[in-house]
Amino acid sequence: ANAETLVKANIEGLHVAMTVNCLRGDRRRNEDVTRINAVFIDSDDGNISPSMLLELQVPPHFIVKTSEKKLHAYWLLKHCTVADFKTLQKSLAKKFGTDPSVCDPARAMRMPGTYNHKYQPPYLAKLIHCDNFIMDTAKKLGLNFNDQFSFIW
């Protein structure tokens, strides 16, 4: 779908998500994942703060705040096989005490810049941290990031 269709659907109350890893074809199935782009955590209990994550020896490349107390954190990878993904995800979940069921390679995650309609009023998911390398690359590509990831819309 194009951006206009996604924005309209999200404003009308539908959830918009992204598949983090690469897929072949137009279906979101684990057997169709062709490349792992990142590992990630889904913190739903509010026990992990962005500042705690940023103090890690290897901090996440980006963090998305999905509601007042919830966040997703992503670490980009170059050489992770689809076969190794589930083990890495479960290790991250154990380390951070996050949802261990978030381990399927075709997982769809909430997109920054979209509304989370689980809450009233709906909560605008925000990109609250982006690694400097990513920011520099985005600027070179002419993309304008701000706190709300608004370049998409």
Side-chain angles (χ1 to χ4, degrees):
N2 65 35
E4 185 177 314
T5 302
L6 293 175
V7 170
K8 184 175 187 277
N10 186 234
I11 289 170
E12 291 174 354
L14 295 177
H15 293 279
V16 176
M18 62 182 178
T19 303
V20 176
N21 298 312
C22 293
L23 299 168
R24 95 178 114 248
D26 59 359
R27 297 178 67 183
R28 189 176 61 85
R29 301 180 307 180
N30 289 331
E31 58 267 24
D32 292 325
V33 174
T34 59
R35 186 178 76 224
I36 300 300
N37 296 319
V39 290
F40 40 89
I41 58 171
D42 182 355
S43 176
D44 285 340
D45 61 12
N47 290 335
I48 297 176
S49 70
S51 59
M52 183 196 105
L53 291 169
L54 295 174
E55 291 172 5
L56 294 171
Q57 186 174 359
V58 180
H61 289 94
F62 52 100
I63 301 171
V64 177
K65 189 173 179 181
T66 59
S67 72
E68 205 52 50
K69 294 185 177 183
K70 299 178 181 185
L71 60 80
H72 299 162
Y74 300 82
W75 288 263
L76 302 177
L77 300 174
K78 271 189 178 176
H79 304 289
C80 178
T81 66
V82 175
D84 290 335
F85 179 80
K86 187 172 188 172
T87 302
L88 286 170
Q89 282 294 113
K90 287 194 172 281
S91 294
L92 281 173
K94 185 175 181 180
K95 176 179 176 64
F96 293 107
T98 57
D99 187 348
S101 70
V102 179
C103 64
D104 51 311
R107 171 72 55 164
M109 303 290 280
R110 191 168 311 285
M111 286 179 61
T114 64
Y115 287 100
N116 182 346
H117 291 283
K118 290 181 182 178
Y119 305 95
Q120 288 304 320
Y123 186 88
L124 181 65
K126 300 172 185 79
L127 180 68
I128 59 170
H129 166 74
C130 191
D131 176 274
N132 286 338
F133 175 77
I134 295 171
M135 292 297 288
D136 291 344
T137 302
K139 287 177 186 172
K140 288 176 185 172
L141 292 172
L143 302 174
N144 181 24
F145 282 93
N146 72 17
D147 291 342
Q148 310 231 339
F149 204 63
S150 66
F151 80 88
I152 290 176
W153 323 121

